[in-house]
């Protein structure tokens, strides 16, 4: 049974067209939720960590929020350089075992 | 300086061969990981070492054997390669502590694309 589900699988946006990505999770004892960005041919790059429901974090055009069941990554007025696959991961246990979602591939066109 | 470096970047080999992938981190982290990313882009953890001790060992065929000579290095040896082993393998590291999620930010290498023919 999937513990981390991301939607949509793919998202095509016009430059400046804001949107949100969803990450829903079913782990019982969430210790942390992580957002990563992955460019083609590269490793995932850390964006945010969220620890408890209600928490929000921002970085440039990205804003991550967390509830008890899901997290959203909001992309405000995206630019073509925001094109990437965005991965969500949850940590449940004490050591750093992350369960990743399948990712959302975002393409931003000029 | 590359924080987490993997070699080689590409690996093409025949079924049945044995191959190794090397990983080194210069971040001073205590914990290192191996992940497998399949064709559907799903990242799955395989192993994790903390200070040279194995702490996570997922359900992985025993043809895969990790080795950590010191806390800055974690290598992955694969015996008798199969077609299904074709994937991108990522190494990662973190300054992990079981009670501090904040230190579990994992930094990834660029990946090794393994193709088994």
């Amino acid at each position: 049974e999937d513990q981390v589900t991301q939607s949509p699988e793919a998202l095509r946006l016009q430059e400046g067209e804001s949107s949100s990505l969803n990450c829903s999770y079913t782990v019982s004892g969430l210790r942390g939720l992580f957002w990563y960005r992955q460019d083609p041919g590269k490793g995932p790059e850390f964006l945010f960590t969220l620890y408890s429901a209600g928490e929000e974090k921002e970085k440039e055009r990205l804003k991550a929020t967390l509830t008890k069941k899901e997290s959203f990554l909001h992309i405000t007025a995206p630019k073509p350089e925001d094109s990437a696959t965005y991965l969500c991961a949850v940590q449940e246990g004490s050591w750093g075992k992350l369960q990743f979602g399948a990712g959302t591939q975002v393409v931003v066109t000029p | 300086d590359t924080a987490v470096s993997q070699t080689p970047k590409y690996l093409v080999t025949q079924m049945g061969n044995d191959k190794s992938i090397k990983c080194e981190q210069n971040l001073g982290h205590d914990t290192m990981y191996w992940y497998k990313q399949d064709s559907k882009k799903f990242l799955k953890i395989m192993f994790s070492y903390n200070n040279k001790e194995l702490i996570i060992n997922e359900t992985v065929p025993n043809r895969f054997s990790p080795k950590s000579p010191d806390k800055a290095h974690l290598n992955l040896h694969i015996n008798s390669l199969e077609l299904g082993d074709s994937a991108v393998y990522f190494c990662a590291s973190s300054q992990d502590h079981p009670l501090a999620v904040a230190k579990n930010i994992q930094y990834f290498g660029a990946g090794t694309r393994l193709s088994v023919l």
Side-chain angles (χ1 to χ4, degrees):
Chain A
E1 181 185 345
D2 287 346
Q3 292 186 296
V4 184
T5 305
Q6 291 187 247
S7 62
E9 288 186 14
L11 191 57
R12 193 172 184 89
L13 301 170
Q14 291 278 349
E15 186 171 1
E17 179 189 359
S18 300
S19 188
S20 296
L21 315 181
N22 177 266
C23 171
S24 62
Y25 59 92
T26 56
V27 297
S28 54
L30 180 73
R31 299 201 63 229
L33 185 140
F34 298 76
W35 282 99
Y36 282 83
R37 168 192 171 125
Q38 186 173 21
D39 292 303
K42 295 189 177 181
E45 177 187 344
F46 172 75
L47 292 174
F48 304 108
T49 309
L50 301 165
Y51 305 110
S52 56
E55 190 173 1
E56 299 182 351
K57 287 195 177 169
E58 285 188 69
K59 180 181 180 180
E60 296 180 354
R61 296 175 292 283
L62 301 177
K63 179 179 176 180
T65 62
L66 181 65
T67 71
K68 287 187 178 179
K69 294 183 179 180
E70 58 192 350
S71 176
F72 291 93
L73 184 66
H74 308 278
I75 310 178
T76 302
K79 297 183 177 181
E81 53 261 43
D82 295 322
S83 298
T85 295
Y86 291 87
L87 300 169
C88 167
V90 298
Q91 181 185 358
E92 186 180 16
S94 6
W95 286 102
K97 180 178 174 180
L98 295 183
Q99 302 280 355
F100 278 87
T104 295
Q105 184 179 18
V106 174
V107 174
V108 183
T109 56
Chain B
D1 276 347
T2 303
V4 182
S5 58
Q6 297 179 227
T7 53
K9 188 166 175 64
Y10 300 98
L11 190 52
V12 181
T13 189
Q14 299 287 333
M15 240 180 7
N17 284 349
D18 302 337
K19 290 293 179 185
S20 292
I21 307 172
K22 294 186 176 182
C23 179
E24 176 181 4
Q25 54 95 3
N26 63 6
L27 297 167
H29 287 167
D30 291 331
T31 306
M32 296 184 72
Y33 312 80
W34 277 111
Y35 286 86
K36 178 181 180 180
Q37 189 171 46
D38 59 26
S39 56
K40 294 185 178 180
K41 305 296 185 186
F42 230 121
L43 258 175
K44 285 190 177 179
I45 191 164
M46 300 172 68
F47 303 102
S48 176
Y49 272 74
N50 176 264
N51 281 321
K52 302 191 296 175
E53 298 285 334
L54 180 66
I55 55 170
I56 296 175
N57 186 357
E58 290 295 282
T59 307
V60 176
N62 57 16
R63 298 181 294 103
F64 290 79
S65 53
K67 282 189 173 51
S68 182
D70 55 60
K71 73 174 191 177
H73 295 84
L74 180 61
N75 304 322
L76 184 65
H77 188 76
I78 315 171
N79 289 326
S80 304
L81 278 155
E82 300 178 356
L83 293 176
D85 297 332
S86 296
V88 182
Y89 292 84
F90 286 100
C91 176
S93 73
S94 70
Q95 185 57 44
D96 202 6
H97 188 284
L99 300 179
V101 175
K103 293 185 178 179
N104 186 38
I105 296 170
Q106 295 182 21
Y107 296 87
F108 286 78
T112 296
R113 183 173 294 275
L114 172 65
S115 298
V116 182
L117 307 178

